[in-house]
Amino acid sequence: MKDLLIMNGPNLNLLGKREPEVYGSANFEEILDQINADMGELLLPYRLHYFQSNHEGALLDQLHAVGFDYLGIVFNPGAYAHTSIALADAVRGISRPVVEVHLSNVHQREEYRRHSYLAEAAVGVISGLGWRGYALGLRYLIEQFGQKI
Ligand code: DQA
């Protein structure tokens, strides 16, 4: 299993333009560069894929498509974390691990962001560490589930 997926949900295509005081000023291409630079050689044996959609069904389809084959998935579900039982069920239904990531610390924000349906199905949750949350999630998947050569 050499494939890893970073998946972003709704409104995360607007990173860089959207509420930069909350989500930072980097767009996701820049964040991907930072992740690659940060992880360096650790990522070399792996293929890192990226998928973003604003549509719940497309995110479900993507989980179904890779969730039995990829090493794991780092998933920022955006607001669907707080609303989507369907995405949580998909994470439960696939066989590969999903790490839930939020750029912002959802526990410091509005009450309605404090509950995540997805978190109940994810192997773990990283929230509030900005773009590093994605890199830390990937690092965990590789260290925990990757080939130990
Ligand atoms: C977010 C937090 C969610 O509550 C919000 O709806 C988002 C972004 C984050 O990365 O901090 O869209 O997932």
Side-chain angles (χ1 to χ4, degrees), residues 1 9 18 20 42 50 58 83 108 114-115 133-135 138:
M1 289 183 190
R18 169 195 187 198
L42 196 59
Y50 177 60
T83 62
Q108 276 173 352
R114 293 198 188 145
H115 177 258
Y134 294 96
L138 291 171

Side-chain angles (χ1 to χ4, degrees), residues 62-125:
Q62 188 66 14
L63 286 171
H64 298 176
V66 308
F68 296 89
D69 304 314
Y70 280 19
L71 183 62
I73 301 159
V74 174
F75 184 19
N76 183 344
Y80 285 147
H82 320 302
T83 62
S84 178
I85 296 169
L87 282 169
D89 278 349
V91 169
R92 272 186 210 99
I94 61 177
S95 61
R96 304 306 308 158
V98 174
V99 177
E100 177 176 343
V101 167
H102 297 282
L103 290 152
S104 64
N105 181 347
V106 289
H107 300 284
Q108 276 173 352
R109 301 181 64 194
E110 299 90 338
E111 182 72 38
Y112 59 79
R113 294 188 203 275
R114 293 198 188 145
H115 177 258
S116 164
Y117 287 103
L118 206 103
E120 295 166 22
V123 288
V125 182

